Amino acid sequence: MTQQVWLIAQRSVVRTFRQPGTWIPPLTFPLMLMAVNSNGLRAATHLPGFPTDSFLAFFLPFSFLQGALFASGIAGVDLARDIDTGFLNRLALTPVRGSALLIGQIGGAVGLGALQACVYLSVGLIFGVHIDTGVAGAFLILLLAVLIATGWGTLGLWLALRTGSGEGVQSQFPLLFFATFISSMNLPRNLIEVTWFRDVATINPVSYMIEGLRSLVISGWDAQALLLGFGFSLALIAVSLGLAGRQLKVRMART
C-alpha cells in the first residue's frame, strides 16, 4: 500500500506543479490579502484587549488557512478530472486500494500547502513578525498548516466524488470561503460585539484552526488553543476521509 500511495502522490504533485495557473494564484492571493488587511485594519490594534500591536502578526495565521482552502479546490478538481477522463475507472481495474488512492490523491494539495506555509512564514518574518514561541513554534506552525491543508484537501476529494465534476467542486468554493470569514480571522472572538457573529464564530471550527496558529505567533505556548487547533484539523481529516471513502465505494459501484 505504501508504494501505491507514493506513486499516486508523486503523480499528484507533478501534475499540480506542472500547471503554473493552478498553484501561482493560491500562492499569491493570500499574500495580497495579507498586505491589504494588515494595512487597512491596523487601527484594530488600538482596541482595548487586542492581543498584539502588530496586525500583520495577528492576521498572518489566516493566510495559512486561506492557502489550505485553495488546496481543497486543487485536490477536488484534479480528482474530478480523473473521473471525467475515465482514469478513475481504469484504476478500479488495478489492485490499487481505495485508501491508497485517496491518500495519494491529495499529494499535490499537501505539497502546495507545505510550500505556501513556508512562503507565508518567511514573508511574515521578513516584515517583522516575531514568533513568540521561537524556532520550535515556527516548526509547529508549519506542521499545523500542513495538517489543515490536508483536511481541506480531503474535503475537496469528497466534493469531487460527490459531484463528479470540476465545476461542481468549484461551485462549492464560495461557500467554503464564506466559512472562513465568519470566524475570528479579523478580530478575537471576545472583541466581536455583534452577538450572532460572535456566536457563529465560536461554533465555527475554522476559528480554532486560526487561533491554534495564532497562539504560536502572538500568545506563546497555549495548550488549549493548540489542542483545539490540532484536534479540529485531525477531525476534519478523519471525517472527510471517511466521507470520501464511502463516496468512492458508491461511485465504483455505479461503474
PDB file of all heavy atoms in Angstrom, residues 31-51:
ATOM      1  N   LEU A  31      -1.161  36.365   0.004  1.00  0.00           N
ATOM      2  CA  LEU A  31      -0.160  37.386   0.301  1.00  0.00           C
ATOM      3  C   LEU A  31      -0.716  38.780   0.040  1.00  0.00           C
ATOM      4  O   LEU A  31      -0.478  39.716   0.818  1.00  0.00           O
ATOM      5  CB  LEU A  31       1.100  37.164  -0.547  1.00  0.00           C
ATOM      6  CG  LEU A  31       1.945  35.934  -0.199  1.00  0.00           C
ATOM      7  CD1 LEU A  31       3.096  35.795  -1.197  1.00  0.00           C
ATOM      8  CD2 LEU A  31       2.495  36.042   1.218  1.00  0.00           C
ATOM      9  N   MET A  32      -1.468  38.925  -1.056  1.00  0.00           N
ATOM     10  CA  MET A  32      -2.070  40.226  -1.362  1.00  0.00           C
ATOM     11  C   MET A  32      -3.111  40.597  -0.316  1.00  0.00           C
ATOM     12  O   MET A  32      -3.178  41.752   0.130  1.00  0.00           O
ATOM     13  CB  MET A  32      -2.687  40.194  -2.766  1.00  0.00           C
ATOM     14  CG  MET A  32      -1.668  40.088  -3.891  1.00  0.00           C
ATOM     15  SD  MET A  32      -2.385  40.266  -5.535  1.00  0.00           S
ATOM     16  CE  MET A  32      -3.276  38.722  -5.678  1.00  0.00           C
ATOM     17  N   LEU A  33      -3.925  39.623   0.084  1.00  0.00           N
ATOM     18  CA  LEU A  33      -4.932  39.892   1.109  1.00  0.00           C
ATOM     19  C   LEU A  33      -4.264  40.237   2.439  1.00  0.00           C
ATOM     20  O   LEU A  33      -4.740  41.112   3.176  1.00  0.00           O
ATOM     21  CB  LEU A  33      -5.844  38.675   1.275  1.00  0.00           C
ATOM     22  CG  LEU A  33      -7.102  38.885   2.125  1.00  0.00           C
ATOM     23  CD1 LEU A  33      -8.006  39.943   1.504  1.00  0.00           C
ATOM     24  CD2 LEU A  33      -7.862  37.572   2.273  1.00  0.00           C
ATOM     25  N   MET A  34      -3.150  39.576   2.729  1.00  0.00           N
ATOM     26  CA  MET A  34      -2.404  39.868   3.945  1.00  0.00           C
ATOM     27  C   MET A  34      -1.900  41.309   3.929  1.00  0.00           C
ATOM     28  O   MET A  34      -2.002  42.036   4.926  1.00  0.00           O
ATOM     29  CB  MET A  34      -1.213  38.906   4.071  1.00  0.00           C
ATOM     30  CG  MET A  34      -0.447  39.041   5.377  1.00  0.00           C
ATOM     31  SD  MET A  34       1.204  38.274   5.302  1.00  0.00           S
ATOM     32  CE  MET A  34       0.811  36.649   4.643  1.00  0.00           C
ATOM     33  N   ALA A  35      -1.371  41.751   2.787  1.00  0.00           N
ATOM     34  CA  ALA A  35      -0.850  43.109   2.677  1.00  0.00           C
ATOM     35  C   ALA A  35      -1.955  44.144   2.834  1.00  0.00           C
ATOM     36  O   ALA A  35      -1.801  45.149   3.538  1.00  0.00           O
ATOM     37  CB  ALA A  35      -0.145  43.289   1.330  1.00  0.00           C
ATOM     38  N   VAL A  36      -3.100  43.896   2.182  1.00  0.00           N
ATOM     39  CA  VAL A  36      -4.211  44.847   2.242  1.00  0.00           C
ATOM     40  C   VAL A  36      -4.784  44.934   3.651  1.00  0.00           C
ATOM     41  O   VAL A  36      -4.969  46.019   4.215  1.00  0.00           O
ATOM     42  CB  VAL A  36      -5.307  44.454   1.232  1.00  0.00           C
ATOM     43  CG1 VAL A  36      -6.549  45.307   1.438  1.00  0.00           C
ATOM     44  CG2 VAL A  36      -4.800  44.609  -0.199  1.00  0.00           C
ATOM     45  N   ASN A  37      -5.067  43.785   4.252  1.00  0.00           N
ATOM     46  CA  ASN A  37      -5.711  43.780   5.571  1.00  0.00           C
ATOM     47  C   ASN A  37      -4.786  44.278   6.674  1.00  0.00           C
ATOM     48  O   ASN A  37      -5.227  44.953   7.610  1.00  0.00           O
ATOM     49  CB  ASN A  37      -6.207  42.375   5.912  1.00  0.00           C
ATOM     50  CG  ASN A  37      -7.505  42.052   5.214  1.00  0.00           C
ATOM     51  OD1 ASN A  37      -7.941  42.782   4.340  1.00  0.00           O
ATOM     52  ND2 ASN A  37      -8.128  40.958   5.583  1.00  0.00           N
ATOM     53  N   SER A  38      -3.483  43.915   6.584  1.00  0.00           N
ATOM     54  CA  SER A  38      -2.565  44.337   7.643  1.00  0.00           C
ATOM     55  C   SER A  38      -2.382  45.839   7.670  1.00  0.00           C
ATOM     56  O   SER A  38      -2.046  46.423   8.708  1.00  0.00           O
ATOM     57  CB  SER A  38      -1.209  43.648   7.477  1.00  0.00           C
ATOM     58  OG  SER A  38      -0.616  44.000   6.237  1.00  0.00           O
ATOM     59  N   ASN A  39      -2.617  46.500   6.521  1.00  0.00           N
ATOM     60  CA  ASN A  39      -2.552  47.956   6.474  1.00  0.00           C
ATOM     61  C   ASN A  39      -3.912  48.592   6.748  1.00  0.00           C
ATOM     62  O   ASN A  39      -4.022  49.549   7.524  1.00  0.00           O
ATOM     63  CB  ASN A  39      -2.038  48.418   5.109  1.00  0.00           C
ATOM     64  CG  ASN A  39      -0.536  48.242   4.970  1.00  0.00           C
ATOM     65  OD1 ASN A  39       0.241  49.021   5.500  1.00  0.00           O
ATOM     66  ND2 ASN A  39      -0.129  47.206   4.261  1.00  0.00           N
ATOM     67  N   GLY A  40      -4.950  48.057   6.126  1.00  0.00           N
ATOM     68  CA  GLY A  40      -6.276  48.656   6.259  1.00  0.00           C
ATOM     69  C   GLY A  40      -6.901  48.475   7.626  1.00  0.00           C
ATOM     70  O   GLY A  40      -7.720  49.298   8.049  1.00  0.00           O
ATOM     71  N   LEU A  41      -6.554  47.400   8.326  1.00  0.00           N
ATOM     72  CA  LEU A  41      -7.171  47.124   9.628  1.00  0.00           C
ATOM     73  C   LEU A  41      -6.205  47.344  10.789  1.00  0.00           C
ATOM     74  O   LEU A  41      -6.437  46.856  11.895  1.00  0.00           O
ATOM     75  CB  LEU A  41      -7.687  45.675   9.651  1.00  0.00           C
ATOM     76  CG  LEU A  41      -8.757  45.341   8.607  1.00  0.00           C
ATOM     77  CD1 LEU A  41      -9.126  43.862   8.676  1.00  0.00           C
ATOM     78  CD2 LEU A  41      -9.995  46.202   8.794  1.00  0.00           C
ATOM     79  N   ARG A  42      -5.136  48.071  10.531  1.00  0.00           N
ATOM     80  CA  ARG A  42      -4.125  48.304  11.565  1.00  0.00           C
ATOM     81  C   ARG A  42      -4.705  48.997  12.796  1.00  0.00           C
ATOM     82  O   ARG A  42      -4.256  48.785  13.920  1.00  0.00           O
ATOM     83  CB  ARG A  42      -2.993  49.145  10.975  1.00  0.00           C
ATOM     84  CG  ARG A  42      -1.795  49.310  11.893  1.00  0.00           C
ATOM     85  CD  ARG A  42      -0.747  50.185  11.215  1.00  0.00           C
ATOM     86  NE  ARG A  42      -0.363  49.639   9.918  1.00  0.00           N
ATOM     87  CZ  ARG A  42       0.412  50.298   9.045  1.00  0.00           C
ATOM     88  NH1 ARG A  42       0.833  51.531   9.326  1.00  0.00           N
ATOM     89  NH2 ARG A  42       0.740  49.741   7.900  1.00  0.00           N
ATOM     90  N   ALA A  43      -5.728  49.843  12.580  1.00  0.00           N
ATOM     91  CA  ALA A  43      -6.321  50.581  13.696  1.00  0.00           C
ATOM     92  C   ALA A  43      -6.943  49.652  14.735  1.00  0.00           C
ATOM     93  O   ALA A  43      -7.132  50.047  15.897  1.00  0.00           O
ATOM     94  CB  ALA A  43      -7.372  51.558  13.174  1.00  0.00           C
ATOM     95  N   ALA A  44      -7.262  48.412  14.333  1.00  0.00           N
ATOM     96  CA  ALA A  44      -7.866  47.474  15.278  1.00  0.00           C
ATOM     97  C   ALA A  44      -6.939  47.156  16.441  1.00  0.00           C
ATOM     98  O   ALA A  44      -7.400  46.776  17.529  1.00  0.00           O
ATOM     99  CB  ALA A  44      -8.249  46.181  14.556  1.00  0.00           C
ATOM    100  N   THR A  45      -5.638  47.337  16.256  1.00  0.00           N
ATOM    101  CA  THR A  45      -4.683  47.031  17.326  1.00  0.00           C
ATOM    102  C   THR A  45      -4.810  47.999  18.502  1.00  0.00           C
ATOM    103  O   THR A  45      -4.283  47.730  19.584  1.00  0.00           O
ATOM    104  CB  THR A  45      -3.239  47.073  16.799  1.00  0.00           C
ATOM    105  OG1 THR A  45      -2.962  48.373  16.259  1.00  0.00           O
ATOM    106  CG2 THR A  45      -3.038  46.029  15.704  1.00  0.00           C
ATOM    107  N   HIS A  46      -5.506  49.131  18.282  1.00  0.00           N
ATOM    108  CA  HIS A  46      -5.685  50.107  19.363  1.00  0.00           C
ATOM    109  C   HIS A  46      -6.888  49.782  20.250  1.00  0.00           C
ATOM    110  O   HIS A  46      -7.114  50.473  21.249  1.00  0.00           O
ATOM    111  CB  HIS A  46      -5.855  51.513  18.771  1.00  0.00           C
ATOM    112  CG  HIS A  46      -4.692  51.958  17.938  1.00  0.00           C
ATOM    113  ND1 HIS A  46      -3.394  51.960  18.410  1.00  0.00           N
ATOM    114  CD2 HIS A  46      -4.625  52.413  16.656  1.00  0.00           C
ATOM    115  CE1 HIS A  46      -2.575  52.405  17.467  1.00  0.00           C
ATOM    116  NE2 HIS A  46      -3.303  52.672  16.392  1.00  0.00           N
ATOM    117  N   LEU A  47      -7.658  48.767  19.873  1.00  0.00           N
ATOM    118  CA  LEU A  47      -8.797  48.377  20.694  1.00  0.00           C
ATOM    119  C   LEU A  47      -8.321  47.831  22.040  1.00  0.00           C
ATOM    120  O   LEU A  47      -7.352  47.059  22.083  1.00  0.00           O
ATOM    121  CB  LEU A  47      -9.633  47.306  19.981  1.00  0.00           C
ATOM    122  CG  LEU A  47     -10.400  47.741  18.726  1.00  0.00           C
ATOM    123  CD1 LEU A  47     -11.008  46.516  18.048  1.00  0.00           C
ATOM    124  CD2 LEU A  47     -11.491  48.744  19.082  1.00  0.00           C
ATOM    125  N   PRO A  48      -8.972  48.211  23.138  1.00  0.00           N
ATOM    126  CA  PRO A  48      -8.597  47.646  24.444  1.00  0.00           C
ATOM    127  C   PRO A  48      -8.731  46.123  24.436  1.00  0.00           C
ATOM    128  O   PRO A  48      -9.754  45.584  24.036  1.00  0.00           O
ATOM    129  CB  PRO A  48      -9.607  48.283  25.404  1.00  0.00           C
ATOM    130  CG  PRO A  48     -10.071  49.521  24.713  1.00  0.00           C
ATOM    131  CD  PRO A  48     -10.071  49.191  23.243  1.00  0.00           C
ATOM    132  N   GLY A  49      -7.695  45.449  24.850  1.00  0.00           N
ATOM    133  CA  GLY A  49      -7.729  43.997  24.906  1.00  0.00           C
ATOM    134  C   GLY A  49      -7.234  43.297  23.656  1.00  0.00           C
ATOM    135  O   GLY A  49      -7.189  42.057  23.628  1.00  0.00           O
ATOM    136  N   PHE A  50      -6.877  44.064  22.606  1.00  0.00           N
ATOM    137  CA  PHE A  50      -6.344  43.420  21.401  1.00  0.00           C
ATOM    138  C   PHE A  50      -5.003  42.782  21.757  1.00  0.00           C
ATOM    139  O   PHE A  50      -4.155  43.416  22.405  1.00  0.00           O
ATOM    140  CB  PHE A  50      -6.172  44.438  20.274  1.00  0.00           C
ATOM    141  CG  PHE A  50      -6.053  43.809  18.908  1.00  0.00           C
ATOM    142  CD1 PHE A  50      -7.189  43.459  18.199  1.00  0.00           C
ATOM    143  CD2 PHE A  50      -4.813  43.547  18.342  1.00  0.00           C
ATOM    144  CE1 PHE A  50      -7.098  42.867  16.951  1.00  0.00           C
ATOM    145  CE2 PHE A  50      -4.708  42.955  17.099  1.00  0.00           C
ATOM    146  CZ  PHE A  50      -5.856  42.618  16.393  1.00  0.00           C
ATOM    147  N   PRO A  51      -4.769  41.530  21.349  1.00  0.00           N
ATOM    148  CA  PRO A  51      -3.636  40.767  21.900  1.00  0.00           C
ATOM    149  C   PRO A  51      -2.245  41.157  21.405  1.00  0.00           C
ATOM    150  O   PRO A  51      -1.258  40.646  21.923  1.00  0.00           O
ATOM    151  CB  PRO A  51      -3.968  39.326  21.478  1.00  0.00           C
ATOM    152  CG  PRO A  51      -4.805  39.471  20.252  1.00  0.00           C
ATOM    153  CD  PRO A  51      -5.616  40.721  20.466  1.00  0.00           C
TER     154      PRO A  51
END
